[in-house]
């Protein structure tokens, strides 16, 4: 199993550009989440999904969209990038159904200039 | 969203020292507590999942205890080694049926172990 994969590993955007961060898992996990890591803030939950077709907002959802059309994939979209979205983004998945141990992807480092 | 507090924010110890840090959380509607270890430039990895009051879990030199009635968990590291340097995160999931069981993390305790 590849576990949780994320692409790209690094990305530089200009303010106002859009892009999609990709996340995929091959463990048949129901739950998937996106977090961002900022200095002094730890990991903050952006959006999450409890199954295909179901998504919801986390702590810091503004500026991000998600969709979950398949169990495997959970892309995160930045519609109009802002410098405040410069961060490291982690995707994670878990079995759900009472087992919430998170398996994390390797992260995407995004810089918005 | 649950309020999770971790203390101290950072800790510097010498190799061989034993150390411990705290995760505090609201004790109502407790479901489970997760501890994660997060090395710099890597992804967080699960250490323990604890569910019962009085639980004690151990992995090598690292152990954790849980008090659900008063809302805290301690993580202990015995005889710290430089490879223990990492940020240690705790996360109590909201009660199942409340917020669909995703994880909200504390800000972590950053441990640095000097050789």
């Amino acid at each position: 199993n590849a576990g949780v994969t994320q692409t790209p590993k690094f990305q530089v955007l200009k303010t106002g550009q859009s892009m999609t961060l990709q996340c995929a898992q091959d463990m048949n996990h129901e739950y998937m989440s996106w977090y961002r890591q900022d200095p002094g803030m730890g990991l903050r939950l952006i959006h999450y999904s409890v199954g295909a077709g179901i998504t919801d907002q986390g702590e810091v959802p503004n500026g991000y969209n998600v969709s979950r059309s398949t169990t495997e994939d959970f892309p995160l979209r930045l519609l109009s990038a802002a410098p405040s979205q410069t961060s490291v983004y982690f995707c994670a998945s878990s079995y759900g159904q009472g087992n919430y141990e998170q398996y994390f992807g390797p992260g995407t480092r995004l810089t918005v200039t | 969203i649950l309020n999770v507090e971790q203390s101290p924010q950072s800790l510097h110890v010498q190799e061989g020292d034993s150390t411990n840090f705290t995760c505090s959380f609201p004790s109502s509607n407790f479901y489970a507590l997760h501890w994660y270890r997060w090395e710099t430039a890597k992804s967080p990895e699960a250490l323990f999942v604890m569910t019962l009051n009085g639980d004690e879990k151990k992995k090598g030199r690292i152990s954790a205890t849980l008090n659900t009635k008063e809302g805290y968990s301690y993580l202990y590291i015995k005889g710290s080694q430089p490879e223990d340097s990492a940020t240690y995160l705790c996360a109590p999931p909201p009660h199942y049926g409340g917020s669909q069981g995703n994880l909200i993390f504390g800000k972590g305790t950053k441990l640095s172990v000097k050789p």
Side-chain angles (χ1 to χ4, degrees), chain B residues 60-77:
Chain B
R61 292 177 291 96
I62 303 176
S63 60
T65 61
L66 179 65
N67 183 322
T68 61
K69 294 182 179 179
E70 296 183 35
Y72 64 84
S73 176
Y74 292 141
L75 190 80
Y76 300 91
I77 302 178

Side-chain angles (χ1 to χ4, degrees), chain A residues 53-92:
Chain A
I54 307 169
T55 65
D56 206 346
Q57 297 179 351
E59 302 172 87
V60 287
N62 292 342
Y64 308 95
N65 279 354
V66 292
S67 59
R68 183 102 178 267
S69 56
T70 66
T71 300
E72 294 78 20
D73 300 298
F74 190 43
L76 178 73
R77 296 184 189 85
L78 284 72
L79 297 178
S80 179
S84 60
Q85 293 178 305
T86 294
S87 187
V88 181
Y89 292 84
F90 288 96
C91 178

Side-chain angles (χ1 to χ4, degrees), chain A residues 95-106:
Chain A
Y95 287 102
Q97 300 299 325
N99 182 349
Y100 306 123
E101 179 178 332
Q102 302 276 293
Y103 293 77
F104 284 85

Side-chain angles (χ1 to χ4, degrees), chain B residues 35-62:
Chain B
W35 280 102
Y36 285 76
R37 183 170 180 272
W38 191 8
E39 292 182 71
T40 301
K42 294 187 177 180
S43 304
E45 292 184 340
L47 275 175
F48 306 115
V49 179
M50 310 177 76
T51 55
L52 298 176
N53 185 43
D55 246 359
E56 181 169 347
K57 301 241 172 159
K58 190 172 181 180
K59 186 181 285 188
R61 292 177 291 96
I62 303 176

Side-chain angles (χ1 to χ4, degrees), chain A residues 31 35 45 48 98 100 102 105-106, chain B residues 31 36 43 96 100-103:
Chain A
Y31 286 20
Y35 295 88
L45 182 67
Y48 63 96
Y100 306 123
Q102 302 276 293
Chain B
Y31 184 76
Y36 285 76
S43 304
Y96 183 74
Q100 289 78 43
N102 58 78
L103 291 188

Side-chain angles (χ1 to χ4, degrees), chain B:
Chain B
I1 294 177
L2 287 182
N3 187 23
V4 182
E5 298 288 337
Q6 288 191 250
S7 61
Q9 280 189 326
S10 63
L11 201 50
H12 298 265
V13 302
Q14 290 293 131
E15 183 175 353
D17 287 350
S18 293
T19 186
N20 66 87
F21 23 94
T22 307
C23 172
S24 301
F25 50 87
S27 56
S28 60
N29 290 331
F30 178 83
Y31 184 76
L33 185 94
H34 294 229
W35 280 102
Y36 285 76
R37 183 170 180 272
W38 191 8
E39 292 182 71
T40 301
K42 294 187 177 180
S43 304
E45 292 184 340
L47 275 175
F48 306 115
V49 179
M50 310 177 76
T51 55
L52 298 176
N53 185 43
D55 246 359
E56 181 169 347
K57 301 241 172 159
K58 190 172 181 180
K59 186 181 285 188
R61 292 177 291 96
I62 303 176
S63 60
T65 61
L66 179 65
N67 183 322
T68 61
K69 294 182 179 179
E70 296 183 35
Y72 64 84
S73 176
Y74 292 141
L75 190 80
Y76 300 91
I77 302 178
K78 183 178 179 181
S80 302
Q81 299 296 309
E83 57 265 31
D84 296 327
S85 297
T87 296
Y88 293 83
L89 301 170
C90 74
H95 190 274
Y96 183 74
S99 186
Q100 289 78 43
N102 58 78
L103 291 188
I104 302 292
F105 287 91
K107 293 181 181 179
T109 292
K110 186 171 184 178
L111 175 67
S112 299
V113 183
K114 291 185 180 178

